Amino acid sequence: MVRKKQRRDEILLQKIVLRIKELRGIHGHTQEELKEGTGLNIANMEAGDNFPNVTSLSIICAFYKISLAEFFAPMNYPSKEE
């Protein structure tokens, strides 16, 4: 069986990666510390190898005690003009 390639929004992926890095920086965490706290492969996410799903993002949000809305709030993507 041939699997169809998933569609990816590379701009959104970059924004999510930057937000994860920003949260780590605010809290002074390394990738390893976030991985230990969440059980997620943060290095692969930040390298763009894995597109994080909503469940993974909610785990990160729970770790940092923020809501998904707070996670996405700074992104403004896609803008209303697009």
Side-chain angles (χ1 to χ4, degrees):
M1 180 174 172
V2 177
R3 290 183 68 184
K4 290 172 75 175
K5 187 174 181 180
Q6 281 189 316
R7 293 174 50 187
R8 287 174 57 143
D9 183 334
E10 294 298 329
I11 295 170
L12 178 59
L13 176 59
Q14 290 172 5
K15 290 180 177 290
I16 289 171
V17 166
L18 287 174
R19 182 65 170 138
I20 293 169
K21 288 179 179 180
E22 177 184 42
L23 289 168
R24 283 196 309 100
I26 289 168
H27 295 276
H29 293 145
T30 63
Q31 287 180 344
E32 188 62 30
E33 288 169 324
L34 183 54
K35 179 181 179 179
E36 289 173 8
T38 62
L40 300 171
N41 192 331
I42 302 303
N44 279 357
M45 275 187 211
E46 290 189 4
D49 296 337
N50 293 340
F51 201 112
N53 60 32
V54 174
T55 300
S56 297
L57 294 177
S58 70
I59 292 168
I60 292 169
C61 289
F63 180 78
Y64 286 122
K65 296 180 177 42
I66 62 171
S67 67
L68 283 167
E70 290 170 302
F71 181 89
F72 285 106
M75 291 185 201
N76 189 32
Y77 180 79
S79 67
K80 292 183 179 182
E81 292 83 43
E82 293 181 28

